Amino acid sequence: MTTVGVLTPEGTTAGTVELPAEVFDVQANIPLMHQVVVAQLAAARQGTHKAKTRGEVAGGGKKPYKQKGTGRARQGSIRAPQFTGGGVVHGPVPRDYSQRTPKKMKVAALRGALSDRAREGRLHVVEGFVTGEKPSTKEALKTLRTATERKRVLVVLTSVDELNWLSLRNLGGSGVHLIEAGQLNTYDVLLADDVVFTKDALAEFLGETTEEGK
């Protein structure tokens, strides 16, 4: 079990928190993480693509010309696939791209990704991003940059942490992505250069992870 310092909005360190080895110091299984990420991206696809077949394209009910005597190939409709404006052969149809991924695989992949960030010193914990009760994007950004200067940062908050949500929500253009502790996933962790937890979010995440790991 390792520890990491807890940063305050003033830029000082207020104690440490423990990072359980079973969550933050496990061997990263790269093929497993790849499989989980691919499944997550596949599940995000809408799958609403559709091309019309010759039976669905409007028009073409009348035979374009007589069967014999023209010297041309026989045709029954100008909406056949070989004509411009005709139907599409074997075109895309609505489908579900989601893949079944067992829960234990998702948990193991997430732990591997977090362990990789923790071992490289790219996981941070803060008490909060602002002082007082009033949201402040400027103050929140200052606290965040004290924790890390890297460009892409994943900030993990609790769902009820309204003060920090309001303070950080406008920083999407600065490479900051916000996520609830219960929604933390392998893809977002791997996409980020650094992961920053609030102290409460880390406690919430570890509580849920402990239950999932049983």
Side-chain angles (χ1 to χ4, degrees):
M1 183 178 293
T2 59
T3 60
V4 62
V6 180
L7 186 69
T8 67
E10 293 80 12
T12 60
T13 301
T16 60
V17 291
E18 295 180 341
L19 301 179
E22 63 269 20
V23 179
F24 295 100
D25 191 21
V26 300
Q27 182 64 38
N29 187 330
I30 295 178
L32 173 62
M33 291 191 291
H34 177 267
Q35 181 178 344
V36 170
V37 168
V38 168
Q40 183 177 341
L41 294 178
R45 297 183 66 176
Q46 288 186 328
T48 54
H49 39 38
K50 176 70 170 71
K52 292 183 179 181
T53 65
R54 63 179 296 173
E56 297 168 326
V57 178
K62 180 183 178 181
K63 190 174 177 67
Y65 46 83
K66 63 182 183 179
Q67 181 83 346
K68 295 180 178 293
T70 66
R72 291 184 290 178
R74 56 194 177 189
Q75 303 292 342
S77 170
I78 60 172
R79 293 296 180 255
Q82 67 268 26
F83 289 105
T84 300
V88 177
V89 181
H90 305 309
V93 293
R95 55 169 290 192
D96 180 13
Y97 283 95
S98 62
Q99 305 174 18
R100 180 184 176 275
T101 308
K103 189 174 182 179
K104 287 187 177 181
M105 289 177 60
K106 294 180 182 179
V107 172
L110 177 57
R111 291 181 177 184
L114 288 172
S115 296
D116 179 72
R117 294 295 180 264
R119 278 191 291 267
E120 294 182 0
R122 294 160 62 182
L123 190 145
H124 315 276
V125 180
V126 299
E127 275 193 340
F129 290 92
V130 296
T131 56
E133 300 297 327
K134 186 178 180 180
S136 172
T137 300
K138 181 178 180 180
E139 186 178 348
L141 181 59
K142 180 180 178 181
T143 303
L144 184 63
R145 292 311 175 204
T146 302
T148 175
E149 289 288 343
R150 290 189 173 91
K151 184 177 180 180
R152 292 177 299 185
V153 181
L154 178 65
V155 178
V156 188
L157 305 171
T158 64
S159 59
V160 296
D161 191 357
E162 185 177 359
L163 179 63
N164 287 315
W165 276 102
L166 293 176
S167 299
L168 292 163
R169 65 181 180 179
N170 290 330
L171 295 177
S174 302
V176 179
H177 179 60
L178 307 182
I179 194 169
E180 292 182 20
Q183 300 298 319
L184 194 59
N185 59 85
T186 305
Y187 175 73
D188 285 326
V189 172
L190 294 178
L191 191 64
D193 296 321
D194 276 32
V195 181
V196 181
F197 284 86
T198 61
K199 190 175 181 179
D200 291 340
L202 179 62
E204 180 180 317
F205 171 71
L206 290 177
E208 293 180 357
T209 302
T210 301
E211 290 298 321
E212 290 175 348
K214 289 182 177 179

